[in-house]
């Protein structure tokens, strides 16, 4: 699975780090591989935004080893689920999948990869009709804290979803 945002320095690294931690806590780390990427390569090779690393650290996560990268179309072959930060990322990923000839949708329905919004897995966000993940990049520490809280809620839902999927196998 891959978490995707714009430059892979704020939202998607937070998603990757939080998901890894929650999957480990749930005993699923050996069964699910998690990484992250951006739809653009502006920050490729950079670490995560220091404000994202700080927000993660305050919550007990370690984002210090992250290295930003741009999504590579060849990765559609290795990802079953791509979790996008916002609708713009979903559109871009679907365009790329179409260019690569990769069917989008669940495997049981003939797809090769599912492309979803990360916050789709947060029942409260779904009920409120607000499933885009706000970009904290132009904000302050409070914006990063709010983004991390959104990521954590969504990741809890992803873990519950994966527990159900893996139990069915």
């Amino acid at each position: 699975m891959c978490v995707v945002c714009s430059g892979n320095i704020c939202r998607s690294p937070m998603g990757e780090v939080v998901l890894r931690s929650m999957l480990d806590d749930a005993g699923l780390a050996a069964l699910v591989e998690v990484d992250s990427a951006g739809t653009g390569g502006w920050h490729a090779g950079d670490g995560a935004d220091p404000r994202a690393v700080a927000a993660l650290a305050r919550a007990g996560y370690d984002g210090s080893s992250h290295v930003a990268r741009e999504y590579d179309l060849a990765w559609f072959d290795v990802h079953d689920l791509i979790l996008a930060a916002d609708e713009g990322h979903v559109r871009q990923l679907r365009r790329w999948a179409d260019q690569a000839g990769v069917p989008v949708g669940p495997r049981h329905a003939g797809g090769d990869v599912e492309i979803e919004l990360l916050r789709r897995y947060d029942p409260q966000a779904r009920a409120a009709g607000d499933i885009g993940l706000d970009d904290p990049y132009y904000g302050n520490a409070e914006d990063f804290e709010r983004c991390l809280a959104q990521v954590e809620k969504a990741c809890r839902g992803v873990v519950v979803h994966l527990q159900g999927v893996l139990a069915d196998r």
Side-chain angles (χ1 to χ4, degrees), residues 40-80:
W42 318 281
H43 299 288
D46 295 345
D49 186 295
R51 297 166 297 173
V53 174
L56 286 164
R58 283 190 294 275
Y61 304 103
D62 181 6
S64 64
S65 65
H66 177 76
V67 178
R69 61 195 188 147
E70 184 175 10
Y71 195 85
D72 185 315
L73 274 58
W75 298 341
F76 283 120
D77 289 341
V78 296
H79 294 134
D80 297 273

Side-chain angles (χ1 to χ4, degrees), residues 133-147:
L133 183 58
D134 295 334
D135 189 351
Y137 184 75
Y138 292 104
N140 56 29
E142 187 176 295
D143 296 306
F144 279 83
E145 296 292 337
R146 184 175 49 255
C147 181

Side-chain angles (χ1 to χ4, degrees), residues 23-43:
L23 289 166
D24 188 42
D25 290 347
L28 300 175
L31 302 173
V32 181
E33 186 175 322
V34 180
D35 60 17
S36 66
T39 57
W42 318 281
H43 299 288

Side-chain angles (χ1 to χ4, degrees), residues 38-132:
T39 57
W42 318 281
H43 299 288
D46 295 345
D49 186 295
R51 297 166 297 173
V53 174
L56 286 164
R58 283 190 294 275
Y61 304 103
D62 181 6
S64 64
S65 65
H66 177 76
V67 178
R69 61 195 188 147
E70 184 175 10
Y71 195 85
D72 185 315
L73 274 58
W75 298 341
F76 283 120
D77 289 341
V78 296
H79 294 134
D80 297 273
L81 178 60
I82 301 174
L83 301 168
D86 63 40
E87 286 290 346
H89 304 122
V90 169
R91 285 190 299 274
Q92 182 62 54
L93 288 159
R94 289 187 176 167
R95 276 193 295 273
W96 285 343
D98 187 52
Q99 290 171 6
V102 175
V104 174
R107 291 196 189 272
H108 70 270
D112 282 352
V113 63
E114 289 185 74
I115 300 171
E116 299 282 354
L117 287 169
L118 173 62
R119 289 191 71 208
R120 173 189 171 276
Y121 293 91
D122 175 354
Q124 290 177 320
R126 260 195 341 268
D130 180 21
I131 59 173

Side-chain angles (χ1 to χ4, degrees), residues 6-7 59 95 126 151 159-160:
S6 299
R95 276 193 295 273
R126 260 195 341 268
V151 166
V159 171
V160 168

